Amino acid sequence: MNPQKDINRIVDRAGQVLMNTYARIPVAFEKGQGCRLWDQEGRVYLDFLAGIAVSALGHSHPKVVETLKGQAERLLHTSNLYHIENQIALAEQLIEHSFADKAFFCNSGTEANEGAIKLARRYSSERYGPQKTTILCMINSFHGRTLGSLSATGQEKFQKGFGPLVPGFSFVPFDDLVALDENWDDKICAVLMEPVQGEGGIRVPDKAFLKKVKKRCQERNALLILDEVQTGLGRTGTLFCHEQFETQPDIMTLAKALGNGLPIGALLATNEVAAAFQPGTHAATFGGNPLVTAVAGTVLSIILGEGFLPGVRKTGIYFQNQLLGLKEEFPQVLDVRGMGLLLGIALNRPGKPIVDACLQKGFLINCTQDTILRFAPPLIVEPEEIDALIKTLRALLKEMN
Ligand SMILES: Cc1ncc(COP(=O)(O)O)c(C=O)c1O
């Protein structure tokens, strides 16, 4: 074997030069195709995580590769000092298919949320005065690692040691309208939430929750910001998850699947709200450059193509039913959660041993909140691939009995 490909050597090199921010699994992928990944030794894996809900079209999608190559040969970057036609076209596409009238592009989910927080505060302070700047967030939420988004994240484990955090965020339990009402005050300018909590354990709220929160926001001169970084772009079976809750935000953030692996984030808003940003108020050097917006345009066209989203819904139901079968069979499975192809099972014990065993058997899944196994495969996953995972999970759960 090529000693350069020895995983122990790779792990050792990583330890020498990379900051120790990730508890990385000892595997290094070299190639991907559809739902399959090949590691440094040529072993093949079925990917049920898609780079944490990013590679929605799978790996090396031919149309994505073609767009990427073609654009790379023409132009990568110019800055937002000039007009970028690919960026305009992507905004037009997103706007045509959403509540929004205007878009702003950045490079990641956390950066999109920073933009959303800034936009909501500026809109509100211009309109209602400088006191109305608190963002009401949800316990167990996840909005990113930069200081503003981290301050909006309702999980202390991510915040520990990074204080002082940004002031002006308050928290209520997710899916609890009574708590939301009890904790409301006049300083609240916006509610920021994920429609389904992803990192928080694939928590789906009551069907009416979002609608009721929006109504409260409208009654109390506050904005609803939906973080669809994980749930957006087909992941839950509709282009945006909030469509299934029959309500619309005033601001929405996107990232992950939009670039299918290229870093891009987006902030969408209504005309009225977006008007709070004027030249000089917000910017991102790389944001929406010709390359990423060309690729995102292709990704979006494929997701919006005929039959794609109904296919996600169909496969999602199939997958969910298979997981429900495991729940019936095994008392270790407490719950099956999620929507579309963002699914999870809650175990009565830590999930890491199953994640590790799945890896050994050639399946990539992960675990959130210690006991929730998370599945977020490419949206093109086939029933046979799901069957293969279920067979493995069944065998592992049997061993755990
Ligand atoms: C709902 C949500 N918001 C924001 C983020 C942060 O995105 P990024 O890692 O691109 O900054 C994530 C990442 O997992 C997320 O799930």
Side-chain angles (χ1 to χ4, degrees), residues 110 113 117 135-146 148-159 165 169-175 191-203 209 225-231 253 368-369 374:
T110 198
N113 286 328
I117 294 163
I135 315 272
L136 185 66
C137 307
M138 304 288 146
I139 291 170
N140 260 320
S141 59
F142 185 81
H143 298 297
R145 305 288 192 148
T146 52
S149 301
L150 185 66
S151 304
T153 289
Q155 300 190 61
E156 277 171 19
K157 67 179 181 198
F158 295 120
Q159 299 170 332
L165 296 173
F169 295 89
S170 60
F171 294 88
V172 290
F174 187 57
D175 200 15
V191 172
L192 166 59
M193 59 182 282
E194 301 148 86
V196 171
Q197 288 190 333
E199 304 301 307
I202 324 283
R203 287 166 201 251
F209 182 61
I225 308 170
L226 288 182
D227 175 344
E228 292 239 24
V229 166
Q230 187 157 157
T231 54
T253 55
T368 179
Q369 301 292 318
R374 173 169 48 177

Side-chain angles (χ1 to χ4, degrees), residues 338-391:
M339 289 165 71
L341 284 169
L342 181 60
L343 295 169
I345 54 178
L347 298 175
N348 65 357
R349 63 192 73 194
K352 192 173 179 307
I354 294 211
V355 173
D356 293 345
C358 277
L359 182 83
Q360 292 310 316
K361 295 190 183 300
F363 294 90
L364 304 178
I365 63 168
N366 100 325
C367 178
T368 179
Q369 301 292 318
D370 198 34
T371 58
I372 319 288
L373 297 182
R374 173 169 48 177
F375 312 103
L379 303 180
I380 55 163
V381 69
E382 297 283 344
E384 302 76 56
E385 293 166 332
I386 294 169
D387 291 345
L389 172 72
I390 296 290
K391 195 172 159 206

Side-chain angles (χ1 to χ4, degrees), residues 34-301:
C35 292
R36 284 175 170 68
L37 281 166
W38 283 263
D39 75 6
Q40 73 291 336
E41 289 173 11
R43 278 193 69 202
V44 64
Y45 298 77
L46 266 181
D47 185 0
F48 276 86
L49 194 58
I52 323 182
V54 168
S55 314
L57 306 180
H59 303 281
S60 306
H61 190 288
K63 289 204 172 128
V64 172
V65 174
E66 189 189 318
T67 306
L68 185 58
K69 279 187 177 164
Q71 186 60 46
E73 280 166 4
R74 276 195 300 280
L75 184 65
L76 294 182
H77 178 81
T78 56
S79 91
N80 286 295
L81 294 177
Y82 312 101
H83 287 282
I84 300 171
E85 272 200 73
N86 294 347
Q87 187 184 120
I88 299 165
L90 178 62
E92 285 167 347
Q93 254 180 312
L94 285 166
I95 287 162
E96 188 190 338
H97 296 280
S98 74
F99 71 96
D101 306 305
K102 291 283 191 306
F104 172 88
F105 294 101
C106 53
N107 310 288
S108 66
T110 198
E111 198 184 347
N113 286 328
E114 295 286 340
I117 294 163
K118 284 178 71 178
L119 182 62
R121 283 189 171 168
R122 196 169 165 101
Y123 169 84
S124 186
S125 60
E126 275 176 356
R127 211 162 247 248
Y128 308 110
Q131 297 309 315
K132 201 170 164 72
T133 50
T134 300
I135 315 272
L136 185 66
C137 307
M138 304 288 146
I139 291 170
N140 260 320
S141 59
F142 185 81
H143 298 297
R145 305 288 192 148
T146 52
L147 265 181
S149 301
L150 185 66
S151 304
T153 289
Q155 300 190 61
E156 277 171 19
K157 67 179 181 198
F158 295 120
Q159 299 170 332
K160 198 163 168 263
F162 296 116
L165 296 173
V166 178
F169 295 89
S170 60
F171 294 88
V172 290
F174 187 57
D175 200 15
D176 185 341
L177 212 61
V178 175
L180 184 120
D181 283 338
E182 279 173 6
N183 288 279
W184 198 285
D185 66 46
D186 291 344
K187 289 185 181 162
I188 292 169
C189 72
V191 172
L192 166 59
M193 59 182 282
E194 301 148 86
V196 171
Q197 288 190 333
E199 304 301 307
I202 324 283
R203 287 166 201 251
V204 181
D206 183 78
K207 180 98 191 277
F209 182 61
L210 261 73
K211 218 184 231 180
K212 289 183 179 167
V213 174
K214 173 73 187 237
K215 190 158 179 281
R216 301 296 197 273
C217 288
Q218 283 171 325
E219 287 164 359
R220 299 165 187 176
N221 292 330
L223 301 174
L224 176 61
I225 308 170
L226 288 182
D227 175 344
E228 292 239 24
V229 166
Q230 187 157 157
T231 54
L233 300 157
R235 173 57 52 194
T236 64
T238 44
L239 187 60
F240 306 115
C241 180
H242 67 256
E243 295 168 32
Q244 295 175 66
F245 291 94
E246 291 157 17
T247 194
Q248 290 187 334
D250 303 287
I251 301 176
M252 173 171 67
T253 55
L254 300 172
K256 290 193 183 277
L258 188 55
N260 205 57
L262 255 68
I264 177 168
L267 172 62
L268 298 174
T270 58
N271 265 332
E272 187 190 319
V273 175
F277 276 169
Q278 289 299 317
T281 50
H282 195 57
T285 299
F286 300 124
N289 81 17
L291 183 76
V292 292
T293 46
V295 170
T298 296
V299 171
L300 196 54
S301 301

